[in-house]
Amino acid sequence: MPIRVLIVDDSAFIRDVLAALIARDPELAVVGVAQDPYEARDKIRALDPDVITLDVEMPNMNGIAFLERLMRLRPIPVVMVSTLTQKGADVTVLALELGAVDVVPKPIDGGEQAWEALGADLRAKIHAAATVRPVARPPVPRTAAAAPSMPGTVMHPRAIIAIGASTGGVEALRDILGRMPGDSPPIVLAQHMPAGFTARFAQRLDDTCALTVREAVAGLNLQRGMAVVAPGNRHLTVVHRDGSFQCNIDDSDAVSGHRPSIDVLFRSVAAAAGRHAIGVILTGMGKDGARGLLAMREAGGRTIGQDEATSLVYGMARAAAEIGAVESLLALDAIAARIVAEVTANAAGAV
């Protein structure tokens, strides 16, 4: 039976284009379209779709207000279709925090090739979304999390934490960073997210945790209490130079199907920090990060995977576990405490 899709967008042109692009996959079926959230509400009741594609800027009720109600009252997998504007990035990151599965950016130039690329991306993400079973959730807290200081003041100068995530990672990363002390070792993050959204994502994380979070830039020296996010559509690597870690950014080919690639980041951290690194692989589809995490473990670093029960999509962590890259599979709410314990043990010379 095909995956049943409802398209919600205020533009008739966009609705028609998305319907045509989705229809190219025989395993997908567009069962309806809606021009605003009120019509969408009625169509959901009547059609019971498996997945919804949702625009974020619509009349009568914006997509965020609709999504928040939907996730509280009748959770359905949602793929956001967003414009690459500052406003679009702001509300899309919030939508991912509220429970949207993923995001597909609308093309800026509107050319045929750009729409073809959107179609391929959208079809893949609808397939992934159909495997997700979202649960009702309360509204996202807006206040910064209170976190204790790192136990003990001694920290190995080459201690570093690398975290990779994909589908479902926005919420997972917010949870982990919100539990981390403000004086943690430097943290480097690779989240599969389109260009244009990662700066706003970093700002959202900065607003809700004790760490200083920013989008990574070339040559940035990583400091204690700092977390950096790989920029969308660019690789982030780490080098150890002149006594500190520095960020490198490059536009080389996609690795493991992604740019930024978690594999690329993890391999660089393995080389730069060896046994003083901690690697964490979180929710997401595919295998990106599995080989890189294995490189970290083989270099002596400690490695953690998010468990199946708390992963929105148990793909990347599963792939890493299957090749022996993961030392410990943990529930999401236990990961930050394990990281702190590993950093403390490392500083004491226990690892």
Side-chain angles (χ1 to χ4, degrees):
M1 180 179 295
I3 297 166
R4 298 160 51 82
V5 182
L6 174 67
I7 298 170
V8 185
D9 197 294
D10 65 322
S11 165
F13 169 75
I14 297 295
R15 293 195 300 270
D16 289 345
V17 170
L18 295 182
L21 291 171
I22 293 170
R24 295 186 183 182
D25 187 332
E27 296 181 354
L28 305 178
V30 176
V31 295
V33 298
Q35 64 180 345
D36 62 39
Y38 292 102
E39 185 179 3
R41 178 191 59 192
D42 295 337
K43 293 288 180 72
I44 290 169
R45 291 171 178 166
L47 301 172
D48 191 26
D50 300 310
V51 178
I52 297 173
T53 71
L54 179 63
D55 188 16
V56 294
E57 300 178 47
M58 292 181 294
N60 301 326
M61 180 194 301
N62 67 52
I64 292 299
F66 174 64
L67 179 68
E68 190 163 20
R69 292 187 186 185
L70 187 67
M71 288 301 163
R72 281 191 290 109
L73 304 174
R74 196 183 190 282
I76 296 175
V78 173
V79 176
M80 304 302 295
V81 183
S82 175
T83 54
L84 278 173
T85 62
Q86 182 61 50
K87 182 180 179 182
D90 290 348
V91 294
T92 299
V93 171
L94 178 56
L96 292 168
E97 291 179 359
L98 289 170
V101 174
D102 219 323
V103 56
V104 175
K106 293 179 182 176
I108 296 175
D109 59 18
E112 182 177 353
Q113 186 174 1
W115 282 107
E116 290 294 332
L118 177 145
D121 193 21
L122 179 61
R123 291 188 292 269
K125 290 179 177 178
I126 290 173
H127 275 281
T131 69
V132 171
R133 293 294 172 261
V135 296
R137 65 183 68 201
V140 175
R142 301 287 185 261
T143 57
S149 294
M150 186 70 66
T153 58
V154 177
M155 185 177 299
H156 195 282
R158 296 187 75 165
I160 188 169
I161 301 159
I163 308 177
S166 186
T167 311
V170 167
E171 182 183 9
L173 288 168
R174 188 170 59 87
D175 183 281
I176 291 172
L177 266 61
R179 299 173 189 268
M180 291 298 296
D183 56 351
S184 300
I187 301 174
V188 286
L189 311 170
Q191 162 71 43
H192 295 159
M193 186 176 282
F197 294 96
T198 44
R200 183 53 185 156
F201 175 47
Q203 182 60 58
R204 287 288 301 170
L205 291 173
D206 186 72
D207 291 342
T208 56
C209 75
L211 300 159
T212 298
V213 188
R214 60 185 294 186
E215 187 179 53
V217 295
L220 176 67
N221 285 319
L222 298 174
Q223 306 292 330
R224 186 168 176 169
M226 175 187 292
V228 297
V229 178
N233 202 34
R234 307 189 75 188
H235 291 306
L236 167 63
T237 57
V238 174
V239 296
H240 193 262
R241 182 182 298 126
D242 299 328
S244 66
F245 292 111
Q246 293 181 4
C247 294
N248 281 342
I249 306 294
D250 74 73
D251 300 319
S252 56
D253 292 342
V255 175
S256 305
H258 296 281
R259 192 174 67 184
S261 166
I262 302 166
D263 275 328
V264 169
L265 176 61
F266 282 179
R267 285 176 180 138
S268 74
V269 171
R275 68 185 184 91
H276 303 294
I278 298 169
V280 184
I281 189 79
L282 300 176
T283 175
M285 62 179 177
K287 298 181 178 180
D288 187 29
R291 292 290 176 185
L293 195 69
L294 181 60
M296 291 186 68
R297 187 172 188 185
E298 290 174 341
R302 314 317 296 261
T303 60
I304 300 166
Q306 185 178 352
D307 69 4
E308 183 172 8
T310 61
S311 293
L312 191 66
V313 178
Y314 187 56
M316 299 190 315
R318 181 200 297 274
E322 287 176 347
I323 64 171
V326 175
E327 287 184 296
S328 304
L329 280 172
L330 301 175
L332 178 62
D333 61 6
I335 291 175
R338 175 61 65 84
I339 293 171
V340 171
E342 296 289 4
V343 170
T344 306
N346 193 321
V351 293

